[in-house]
């Protein structure tokens, strides 16, 4: 499934990084600890987190993640938006909490 | 002659954290290194960079792109590490509250470096600084 298809299916907000919307999603990773994502997330996964600062994009880019979903309606910081545009990493948002959005993502990917 | 790149790291500046690793990654892609090895290398360089940002005043990362392997030497001016064995333990951290709130300081940095490198050496003098060296074969 492409990031753009997921955005449509789950009604996600797209804050920035639209150039990356055609990337294929291989899975998901839920964590708010950056070194945990650095050490254990895999290429093309979607990262679900509440962290909104720009280091999130630095990590997503280094790990070649498909996109980042910010939970609970949390807004990205200004430099996070800019960095996401530069790196082409879609920065997405939802009002749902991590548990709920992770469940829906899991169901979509395993449908 | 192996290609060498040098990067300055500013302690406390989280906005710039990851910039050196991003440039190292681009260079490794240019050199056609196996993407799996690139991933290992950037995990190690990112964590090393972040350690300087989170704990030290300033640091220099020297990256060396040998035809057969990658090495990095990260030298910082900072508080040093009192107990290196303890610092290598997963979950042990001396990071400040602010650093932890950002999602860093989970005590996973050095274990991540160890996991992704073939050789790792740490030398530290308390009150002066730390030098970290690692090597990864492609």
């Amino acid at each position: 499934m492409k990031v753009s298809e997921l955005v449509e299916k789950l009604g996600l907000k797209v804050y920035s990084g639209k150039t990356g919307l055609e990337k294929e999603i291989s899975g998901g990773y839920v964590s708010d600890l950056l070194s945990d994502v650095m050490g254990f997330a895999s290429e093309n996964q979607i990262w679900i987190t509440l962290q909104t600062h720009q280091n999130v994009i630095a990590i997503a880019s280094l790990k070649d993640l498909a996109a980042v979903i910010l939970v609970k309606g949390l807004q990205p910081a200004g430099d996070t938006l800019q960095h996401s545009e530069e790196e082409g990493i879609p920065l997405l948002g939802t009002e749902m909490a991590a548990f709920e959005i992770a469940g829906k993502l899991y169901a979509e990917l395993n449908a | 002659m192996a290609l060498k790149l040098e990067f300055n790291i500013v302690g406390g500046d989280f906005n710039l954290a990851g910039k050196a690793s991003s440039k190292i990654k681009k260079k490794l892609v240019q050199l056609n290194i196996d993407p799996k090895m690139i991933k290992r290398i950037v995990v190690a360089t990112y964590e090393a960079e972040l350690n300087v940002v989170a704990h030290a005043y300033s640091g220099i990362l020297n990256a060396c792109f040998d035809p057969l392997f990658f090495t990095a030497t990260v030298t910082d001016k900072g508080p040093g590490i009192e107990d290196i064995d303890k610092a290598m333990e997963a979950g042990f951290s001396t990071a400040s509250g602010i650093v932890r709130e950002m999602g860093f300081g989970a005590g996973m940095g050095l274990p991540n470096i160890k996991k992704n490198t073939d050789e790792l050496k740490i030398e530290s003098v308390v009150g002066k600084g730390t030098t970290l060296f690692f090597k990864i074969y492609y």
Side-chain angles (χ1 to χ4, degrees):
Chain A
M1 184 186 293
K2 286 180 178 172
V3 177
S4 57
E5 294 168 59
L6 187 78
V7 165
E8 198 165 316
K9 283 192 170 162
L10 300 185
L12 303 171
K13 186 166 181 176
V14 180
Y15 292 113
S16 54
K18 289 195 174 69
T19 54
L21 286 174
E22 295 313 298
K23 277 189 266 189
E24 280 290 330
I25 304 164
S26 67
Y29 201 80
V30 188
S31 185
D32 303 320
L33 295 178
L34 305 196
S35 285
D36 177 37
V37 177
M38 206 61 213
F40 298 94
S42 304
E43 193 171 343
N44 295 325
Q45 286 182 337
I46 287 216
W47 177 12
I48 298 169
T49 185
L50 54 66
Q51 298 289 355
T52 59
H53 54 82
Q54 66 159 319
N55 298 90
V56 166
I57 302 297
I59 288 170
S61 171
L62 286 171
K63 296 289 287 184
D64 294 319
L65 302 184
V68 176
I69 301 178
L70 303 181
V71 298
K72 299 195 289 184
L74 290 163
Q75 300 289 312
D79 45 16
T80 310
L81 290 170
Q82 195 193 330
H83 204 171
S84 132
E85 285 292 333
E86 286 164 10
E87 298 291 333
I89 305 276
L91 188 55
L92 314 172
T94 177
E95 293 299 320
M96 286 180 258
F99 177 76
E100 209 179 342
I101 187 71
K104 287 187 190 288
L105 174 63
Y106 188 88
E108 286 294 343
L109 293 178
N110 292 281
Chain B
M1 261 299 272
L3 173 73
K4 288 178 182 172
L5 292 176
E6 185 177 298
F7 303 93
N8 281 311
I9 308 168
V10 184
D13 190 345
F14 283 89
N15 291 331
L16 294 176
K19 288 279 191 294
S21 298
S22 178
K23 285 179 186 154
I24 288 167
K25 184 182 173 188
K26 288 196 177 90
K27 181 54 70 183
L28 291 164
V29 170
Q30 269 179 27
L31 294 171
N32 275 321
I33 302 302
D34 176 356
K36 275 187 195 141
M37 301 318 294
I38 295 180
K39 293 236 154 44
R40 294 188 63 187
I41 292 167
V42 297
V43 168
T45 60
Y46 181 84
E47 296 289 6
E49 248 188 280
L50 214 287
N51 278 344
V52 175
V53 173
H55 298 284
Y57 313 125
S58 67
I60 292 170
L61 189 162
N62 279 295
C64 185
F65 304 78
D66 191 275
L68 298 176
F69 53 81
F70 172 89
T71 62
T73 308
V74 186
T75 308
D76 73 46
K77 288 179 185 153
I81 303 171
E82 260 176 51
D83 185 339
I84 293 174
D85 288 340
K86 195 89 185 159
M88 291 302 301
E89 282 177 18
F92 177 82
S93 176
T94 57
S96 70
I98 296 167
V99 171
R100 286 171 203 253
E101 267 176 38
M102 290 178 81
F104 296 115
M108 298 178 77
L110 286 174
N112 270 353
I113 295 175
K114 175 108 183 135
K115 196 175 102 180
N116 286 286
T117 54
D118 297 307
E119 266 178 49
L120 171 63
K121 279 180 221 153
I122 305 173
E123 285 168 8
S124 191
V125 179
V126 173
K128 290 220 161 159
T130 301
T131 297
L132 182 133
F133 166 88
F134 59 77
K135 188 173 193 176
I136 299 165
Y137 289 92
Y138 299 138

